[in-house]
Amino acid sequence: MSERKKRKPGETREKLMSAALTLVGKGRHFASLGIREVTRQAGVVPTSFYRHFRNMDDLGLQLVDELGLVLRRMMREARANVLQADKLIEESVGIFISHAQANRSFFLFMAQGLAGESRAIQDGIRSEMRYFASELANDLQRLKLVDHLCDGDLEMTCDLVVRSVAFSLTDLMGVSAEDEYQVEQIRKRTCRFLQLIFVGAAHWDNKHL
Amino acid sequence: MSERKKRKPGETREKLMSAALTLVGKGRHFASLGIREVTRQAGVVPTSFYRHFRNMDDLGLQLVDELGLVLRRMMREARANVLQADKLIEESVGIFISHAQANRSFFLFMAQGLAGESRAIQDGIRSEMRYFASELANDLQRLKLVDHLCDGDLEMTCDLVVRSVAFSLTDLMGVSAEDEYQVEQIRKRTCRFLQLIFVGAAHWDNKHL
DNA sequence: ACAAGTTGTGTACGACTGTACACATAGCTG
DNA sequence: CAGCTATGTGTACAGTCGTACACAACTTGT
């Protein structure tokens, strides 16, 4: 038998996951990826796949878990860098966009998964977004910026914020990362969206009925 | 050779398109559909496909065109039914949801296409959304509801509205059409999103800088 | 009515797919 | 050291894929 490469434990597993991400990054849709294709990209024999995943959906689910880590890292950085409240939106959107560029394939995978073909992956991503929104609500409450809102309305506002940012993600994934002009347009537009939402939140109570 | 069924002109073409939609409606992702699969669902021999489409992307593009018609029909109905401005949001969201249920597969296809693997389809759907937003801006201007906004800000507001509704579409596609409780939740939540946005728009000018 | 064009059918083929199985190697535990 | 388990390899096979080609049947224009 041909020689066996030395490997660290779990190396192939990672190679397979990042191979799938690479293919997604090249413009493929996750739902259209096949086992052989992924193993080929990973430089591994097809049957190795089954040592780590039951099928492609399983791999997708584990990618969602890793996506959670990426998002948490991003949140941590945002919390550390957003000190004064006046530039809160600009800073946060900037950090979001730079993370989205740095982990382009991951965020591409996330954007795809929202309307993907595996219900489990959909739910996973949706759950990450819900967590994100609730953390955002926590932060806003801590900063006392919107303390006139009841819990439900604060949650709704954060939900809308997260959705708007997620939709901007789709825009961002549609342009080349080097096209700085387009990226800047998306950044500005996203900021304006969030400003509009927060203006709405600031004047919300009288409309609450 | 076996007998040839009588057919109307363009019948197979329609059968192929609705076969693709049917498969999407069954939970498949458009990007993962194959020619053979679609022709099988349409009850047609594989090679017939090429009489009408160059490849699956081509079929997708033609679906986007049909999607445009569906959206325009929806807009027309909304304009006809929304007479008094006070229930504008509730009426519009209601009409949107009932159309989304009635053409579930179409809207599923739309939600998928936003982050799909064909750039052309992405652009097509994005362009439909832009058209939708600009028509909405027209209507709002005609109703004189937001005449304190400059053109750019009105356009941005409408864009955000359309995006929020489109995102709600993803929610809606995630629940069974018969689950009336969930659908009602989505309806209410979407209305609140739009109310929040319009409250923001009503108080926007002072923040405009 | 006949020629031309259009649309659907049947057959064919090479490439690719998922996955089963037996086997080899590495690392861990005793 | 022996043996066990986890992990990677190679081979194999039946099913599916996209698509090329020749042919049939219907539609249309003249």
Side-chain angles (χ1 to χ4, degrees):
Chain A
M1 179 165 304
S2 83
E3 62 267 50
R4 164 84 151 270
K5 333 267 190 314
K6 50 191 155 186
R7 70 241 135 94
K8 299 185 263 281
E11 192 189 355
T12 303
R13 204 185 103 103
E14 280 182 22
K15 274 202 289 189
L16 287 170
M17 292 212 268
S18 72
L21 277 186
T22 301
L23 289 169
V24 166
K26 282 185 186 172
R28 303 289 315 277
H29 194 288
F30 183 79
S32 78
L33 297 182
I35 289 178
R36 286 189 109 103
E37 197 177 3
V38 172
T39 55
R40 198 183 313 130
Q41 170 75 30
V44 165
V45 94
T47 43
S48 264
F49 184 91
Y50 298 101
R51 300 292 183 192
H52 305 278
F53 312 102
R54 303 205 336 282
N55 47 44
M56 283 299 294
D57 271 14
D58 190 17
L59 190 152
L61 277 179
Q62 307 204 29
L63 275 180
V64 173
D65 290 345
E66 272 205 28
L67 175 67
L69 299 180
V70 173
L71 292 179
R72 265 146 251 239
R73 228 179 300 141
M74 180 172 87
M75 241 162 45
R76 200 164 24 243
E77 180 175 340
R79 272 198 264 253
N81 284 39
V82 177
L83 302 171
Q84 71 280 39
D86 58 333
K87 291 290 179 189
L88 189 143
I89 291 180
E90 282 79 4
E91 286 274 2
S92 303
V93 170
I95 291 174
F96 167 74
I97 289 191
S98 67
H99 269 74
Q101 306 276 31
N103 305 287
R104 191 176 171 83
S105 304
F106 251 123
F107 283 74
L108 214 30
F109 170 73
M110 171 174 164
Q112 290 183 355
L114 273 169
E117 97 177 345
S118 155
R119 171 60 67 94
I121 293 180
Q122 265 182 60
D123 289 346
I125 292 179
R126 222 170 278 271
S127 144
E128 291 294 336
M129 283 181 57
R130 246 180 291 123
Y131 175 76
F132 205 92
S134 77
E135 286 294 299
L136 177 59
N138 263 338
D139 287 1
L140 290 187
Q141 208 154 41
R142 205 154 30 78
L143 292 175
K144 306 263 182 230
L145 288 175
V146 284
D147 50 356
H148 65 293
L149 291 184
C150 70
D151 282 4
D153 289 340
L154 176 60
E155 188 223 351
M156 172 197 61
T157 304
C158 293
D159 195 6
L160 183 54
V161 166
V162 171
R163 282 155 180 261
S164 303
V165 173
F167 211 109
S168 290
L169 184 57
T170 338
D171 299 334
L172 195 60
M173 297 294 110
V175 309
S176 140
E178 286 83 21
D179 189 343
E180 293 194 32
Y181 173 76
Q182 293 265 25
V183 172
E184 179 62 14
Q185 291 298 109
I186 292 172
R187 203 189 60 74
K188 277 199 212 143
R189 170 168 285 253
T190 306
C191 285
R192 288 215 293 168
F193 284 156
L194 299 197
Q195 278 159 1
L196 183 59
I197 293 172
F198 280 122
V199 171
H203 297 82
W204 175 251
D205 40 12
N206 45 354
K207 266 274 211 172
H208 191 199
L209 318 181
Chain B
M1 177 169 300
S2 82
E3 62 267 51
R4 162 85 151 270
K5 333 267 192 310
K6 50 190 153 184
R7 70 238 135 96
K8 297 184 266 278
E11 190 187 356
T12 304
R13 204 184 104 104
E14 280 181 22
K15 274 202 287 190
L16 287 170
M17 292 212 268
S18 71
L21 278 185
T22 301
L23 289 169
V24 166
K26 282 184 186 169
R28 303 289 314 280
H29 194 289
F30 183 79
S32 78
L33 297 183
I35 289 177
R36 286 188 109 102
E37 197 176 2
V38 172
T39 54
R40 199 182 311 128
Q41 170 75 33
V44 164
V45 94
T47 43
S48 264
F49 184 89
Y50 298 100
R51 301 290 183 194
H52 305 277
F53 311 102
R54 304 207 334 283
N55 48 44
M56 282 299 292
D57 272 14
D58 190 18
L59 189 151
L61 277 179
Q62 307 205 28
L63 275 179
V64 173
D65 289 345
E66 272 205 28
L67 176 66
L69 298 180
V70 173
L71 291 180
R72 265 146 252 239
R73 228 180 300 142
M74 181 173 85
M75 241 162 44
R76 200 163 25 244
E77 180 175 340
R79 273 200 264 255
N81 284 39
V82 177
L83 301 171
Q84 72 279 41
D86 57 333
K87 291 289 181 189
L88 189 144
I89 292 180
E90 282 79 3
E91 285 273 3
S92 303
V93 170
I95 290 174
F96 167 73
I97 289 192
S98 66
H99 269 74
Q101 307 275 33
N103 305 287
R104 192 175 171 84
S105 304
F106 251 121
F107 284 75
L108 213 31
F109 169 74
M110 171 174 166
Q112 290 183 355
L114 272 170
E117 99 176 343
S118 155
R119 172 60 67 93
I121 293 180
Q122 266 181 61
D123 290 346
I125 292 179
R126 222 171 279 272
S127 144
E128 291 294 337
M129 283 180 56
R130 245 180 292 124
Y131 175 76
F132 205 91
S134 77
E135 286 294 298
L136 177 58
N138 263 339
D139 287 1
L140 290 186
Q141 208 156 39
R142 205 154 31 77
L143 291 176
K144 306 264 182 226
L145 288 176
V146 284
D147 50 356
H148 64 294
L149 291 184
C150 70
D151 282 3
D153 290 339
L154 176 61
E155 189 221 351
M156 173 197 61
T157 304
C158 292
D159 195 6
L160 183 54
V161 166
V162 171
R163 280 155 181 261
S164 303
V165 173
F167 211 109
S168 290
L169 185 58
T170 341
D171 300 334
L172 195 60
M173 297 294 109
V175 308
S176 138
E178 286 83 23
D179 190 343
E180 293 194 32
Y181 174 75
Q182 293 264 27
V183 172
E184 180 62 13
Q185 291 298 109
I186 292 172
R187 204 189 61 74
K188 276 199 212 142
R189 173 167 284 253
T190 306
C191 286
R192 289 214 294 167
F193 285 155
L194 299 199
Q195 277 160 359
L196 184 59
I197 294 171
F198 280 122
V199 171
H203 297 81
W204 176 250
D205 39 12
N206 45 352
K207 267 272 209 173
H208 190 200
L209 318 179

